Amino acid sequence: MRENEVEKAFVDAVKKAGGKAVKFTSQTMNGVPDRLVLLPCGKCAFVELKAPGKQMRMLQRKRREQLLALGFPVFCVDRPEQIQPVMEALGEWEPGEPVPTGVGTEIPELKNMMLLEGGDAE
């Protein structure tokens, strides 16, 4: 299975839940997640989609930590069977509460890492 197949299934699941999974890119910040997920009642999360067995790059994991520190859920999904648990976790989550954990692909923790001025990893 390819990443674009996982991504299409995820986008369809978000749409079915009444939300939008907007393709997210940034001209000024590398490593941001693939999709900005907008759900009813003002819920917002980020999702990185990968082909089965692929891991987030180091800079992507750093961006995840930065977004988590701001209170946004960030998930990595690499298989279709992870989509429904992620959607359920987002459905139960309320902004301002601790972000859901333990769903999606397990993301290895980062070692100490600094970002240079331009946003690239050192």
Side-chain angles (χ1 to χ4, degrees):
M1 174 168 277
R2 300 172 63 149
E3 179 178 327
N4 65 347
E5 295 172 289
V6 175
E7 188 165 18
K8 181 183 182 329
F10 181 78
V11 170
D12 290 345
V14 172
K15 184 177 181 180
K16 185 177 175 184
K20 304 279 186 198
V22 180
K23 185 72 172 172
F24 182 53
T25 59
S26 173
Q27 294 178 350
T28 59
M29 184 181 288
N30 294 330
V32 295
D34 294 320
R35 294 284 172 164
L36 170 60
V37 180
L38 306 171
L39 293 170
C41 300
K43 294 183 182 184
C44 177
F46 295 87
V47 176
E48 177 64 31
L49 295 139
K50 294 288 187 187
K54 297 293 181 180
Q55 289 286 322
M56 291 173 82
R57 296 185 323 268
M58 192 175 300
L59 182 56
Q60 291 174 317
R61 296 190 330 240
K62 181 64 177 179
R63 295 295 179 228
R64 175 182 172 264
E65 284 186 1
Q66 292 170 331
L67 292 166
L68 286 171
L70 292 170
F72 294 105
V74 181
F75 299 102
C76 184
V77 172
D78 74 348
R79 293 185 306 278
E81 58 268 21
Q82 296 171 340
I83 295 170
Q84 194 56 40
V86 166
M87 294 304 297
E88 289 172 8
L90 285 174
E92 295 169 6
W93 174 73
E94 293 298 328
E97 292 182 358
V99 298
T101 59
V103 292
T105 302
E106 185 176 335
I107 302 168
E109 292 301 317
L110 281 173
K111 305 272 189 261
N112 286 340
M113 177 175 152
M114 292 175 54
L115 290 182
L116 299 174
E117 195 60 31
D120 295 322
E122 181 178 66

